Amino acid sequence: PKWLSPFPAALSVREAMAVGATVVMFVAWFCYWRWGYGRFQALDAAHDCWTSDAREVSDKIGQEGEPGVAVTFTGSQLNCQHIAGSVSTGLGELHILCRVSGHMASLAFALTVIPVSKNSVLLRTLGLSYERVLHWHRGLGTLSYFAVTLHMLLWWLKWILDGTFVRNLLAIDTQRWLWITPSWNHYENFSVLMVQIAWIFFTASMIIAWTCRRRLYRLFYVSHQFAILFVFFGILHAWSFWYFVMPGLALWWCDRLCRLVAASHATTIMACTAVPGTDVTHVELRAPEVASKFTAGQFAILNCPRSAETRGTRSR
């Protein structure tokens, strides 16, 4: 649908090349985590089993070599090769895909944050304004949402097949926060539940952005802040996420600081009159700091305290 397309007015040649480069990046990213990284096959999928033919969820403590023992007295969690009588779940490939999808979501989210800065050093270096790349933020944001949702649903599918879904989401034992497999528990990993609750707010934010951004901009703006919180929850949840999202966050944070300084410049209202027959208000300002940097074609955001309670005032 047109409202979901990041390129409603079609693609330029340069944008088509950029889209192609982005697709290649995602394909290479997927291939690395799926086949090049190796840790998921060697460590994570190696724990994908039940501890016995009973196929029950268990982290039985005992001495290595005893039937059904998944955790030694020293606290070491055994993989399937060292659990006597273990039975494979047959879900090793799904387990790997669950983890790979998480890294795909990390890349999408990291790219989403880059175009949001209005005074980005990166964009100035490339000779682009933020208006020229804002549709990339919308498109990548949509991709991020679906990537995060797919990542979550893949884990849900795995937990249902493992028999751990209820334990992980509905009947949580705070001494056993997260069953990654039926024999492998992340005892202190509460971040998974945290980000799944945050996903509800993320979903609400995206629905508002897709449906009523222009009609109810203030609602869109306030709800969009939940997406910022989701980034920080993601950093708590994913051990490598901060590597990729920090450049975009740094650009955004520097932009916010610059805008805060710019907003503190002294400005005097010289005249404020209504234009007869319209809903337009003509405002004349004395703003030396703005005027010294202003060039034709730019616009400034004005904050009028009395009207700002219900809407923003924009002057072009």
Side-chain angles (χ1 to χ4, degrees):
K2 187 175 181 179
W3 58 269
L4 195 58
S5 172
F7 303 103
L11 282 166
S12 67
V13 174
R14 287 195 301 174
E15 282 185 325
M17 293 173 62
V19 170
T22 303
V23 171
V24 170
M25 181 189 301
F26 274 96
V27 171
W29 194 253
F30 177 86
C31 291
Y32 170 74
W33 291 108
R34 174 59 185 85
W35 292 288
Y37 182 53
R39 175 184 179 272
F40 300 149
Q41 292 87 342
L43 177 61
D44 300 306
H47 285 272
D48 236 295
C49 62
W50 289 283
T51 58
S52 68
D53 289 331
R55 302 195 175 193
E56 296 179 347
V57 179
S58 172
D59 60 345
K60 180 181 176 181
I61 300 174
Q63 187 172 349
E64 182 178 348
E66 294 179 357
V69 170
V71 183
T72 66
F73 289 118
T74 59
S76 298
Q77 292 185 283
L78 304 176
N79 63 32
C80 299
Q81 291 183 344
H82 296 90
I83 299 176
S86 66
V87 176
S88 173
T89 62
L91 301 175
E93 289 298 320
L94 178 58
H95 188 163
I96 294 170
L97 188 58
C98 289
R99 294 190 177 274
V100 171
S101 66
H103 287 283
M104 299 301 293
S106 292
L107 176 61
F109 225 119
L111 294 176
T112 299
V113 179
I114 291 177
V116 301
S117 304
K118 291 181 170 57
N119 298 292
S120 171
V121 175
L122 176 62
L123 294 182
R124 288 188 180 186
T125 302
L126 296 174
L128 297 171
S129 65
Y130 85 93
E131 295 98 335
R132 292 284 301 274
V133 299
L134 188 59
H135 59 287
W136 281 85
H137 170 66
R138 294 198 296 267
L140 289 168
T142 299
L143 178 62
S144 298
Y145 172 75
F146 286 117
V148 168
T149 303
L150 176 63
H151 174 56
M152 181 180 70
L153 292 178
L154 285 173
W155 275 113
W156 283 10
L157 174 61
K158 185 183 185 307
W159 295 341
I160 290 171
L161 296 175
D162 281 346
T164 58
F165 182 82
V166 173
R167 296 170 188 256
N168 284 338
L169 287 182
L170 303 176
I172 297 173
D173 178 354
T174 55
Q175 300 300 315
R176 296 177 174 85
W177 274 100
L178 182 69
W179 290 94
I180 301 296
T181 75
S183 61
W184 187 26
N185 191 281
H186 283 192
Y187 294 107
E188 297 179 356
N189 191 352
F190 56 86
S191 68
V192 172
L193 179 63
M194 180 189 299
V195 292
Q196 288 181 109
I197 294 174
W199 176 85
I200 298 173
F201 296 100
F202 188 21
T203 300
S205 175
M206 292 302 296
I207 291 174
I208 291 171
W210 289 330
T211 59
C212 54
R213 175 179 175 270
R214 293 183 180 276
R215 291 184 294 106
L216 300 170
Y217 182 80
R218 191 63 182 173
L219 175 63
F220 157 77
Y221 179 81
V222 172
S223 66
H224 225 55
Q225 308 312 305
F226 286 114
I228 299 173
L229 291 175
F230 193 80
V231 171
F232 290 100
F233 289 145
I235 292 174
L236 289 175
H237 166 61
W239 52 266
S240 64
F241 181 46
W242 72 274
Y243 292 124
F244 314 114
V245 79
M246 284 307 296
L249 281 183
L251 290 172
W252 174 78
W253 187 246
C254 289
D255 171 50
R256 299 299 299 184
L257 292 178
C258 291
R259 291 168 65 186
L260 179 63
V261 172
S264 65
H265 294 154
T267 303
T268 304
I269 298 179
M270 307 303 293
C272 184
T273 57
V275 178
T278 71
D279 59 354
V280 176
T281 301
H282 179 77
V283 181
E284 294 183 12
L285 304 173
R286 185 180 183 278
E289 293 289 342
V290 176
S292 64
K293 303 173 183 177
F294 192 86
T295 58
Q298 292 182 327
F299 64 84
I301 307 296
L302 306 180
N303 180 18
C304 300
R306 290 190 178 182
S307 63
E309 295 180 0
T310 56
R311 67 182 64 185
T313 303
R314 175 172 289 180
S315 173
R316 293 182 182 273

